Amino acid sequence: SSMSRSPHRYLVFFVQTLQTSLEAQKLLAQKAWAYLNDSFRIDLCVRYPSEVIAVACIFLAARDNQMPLPLSPSPWWNLFEVSDTDLETVALEIVAMYKLKIPTWMPQAPMKSTQWVEIVK
């Protein structure tokens, strides 16, 4: 099942499949990887297949890097069997995640390990 496969695995394969330059692949993969890591803050991984999440992260990374990806003869995400609707929904959820407030109980800045011990006590 797709839930047992990491979206990171798909991300790397999909970026390589897009046949952009190696430098473009690196930029795209790095930014998409960051989106993918952040996406685990919300429940996307239990609601959508890994392939959809990976494609949404690539989409957002390409947008951020102003990197055009093929839209004809059909949009590039169709190559990975991801629908327009799923792509849009997941991408919007990832973007919305960045607008969520950090819970008040969550530390605002990195803490030393000794500070964590105090919180747990």
Side-chain angles (χ1 to χ4, degrees), residues 21-108:
S21 71
L22 286 177
E23 181 156 335
Q25 285 181 11
K26 183 177 177 183
L27 283 172
L28 190 60
Q30 285 177 335
K31 185 66 176 178
W33 195 275
Y35 274 120
L36 195 48
N37 285 340
D38 288 350
S39 77
F40 282 99
R41 296 179 188 175
I42 54 179
D43 64 352
L44 291 174
C45 63
V46 296
R47 294 186 295 125
Y48 291 94
S50 296
E51 305 93 286
V52 173
I53 300 168
V55 165
C57 292
I58 293 167
F59 174 84
L60 292 171
R63 181 198 65 173
D64 288 354
N65 290 328
Q66 298 179 347
M67 186 179 299
L69 294 176
L71 295 175
S72 64
S74 66
W76 62 271
W77 55 85
N78 288 351
L79 178 64
F80 309 115
E81 298 180 1
V82 172
S83 72
D84 298 4
T85 303
D86 283 350
L87 169 60
E88 182 179 354
T89 302
V90 172
L92 288 173
E93 285 195 44
I94 291 170
V95 170
M97 172 195 64
Y98 292 106
K99 296 176 185 172
L100 295 173
K101 288 187 176 185
I102 296 174
T104 55
W105 56 266
M106 200 173 223
Q108 300 296 314

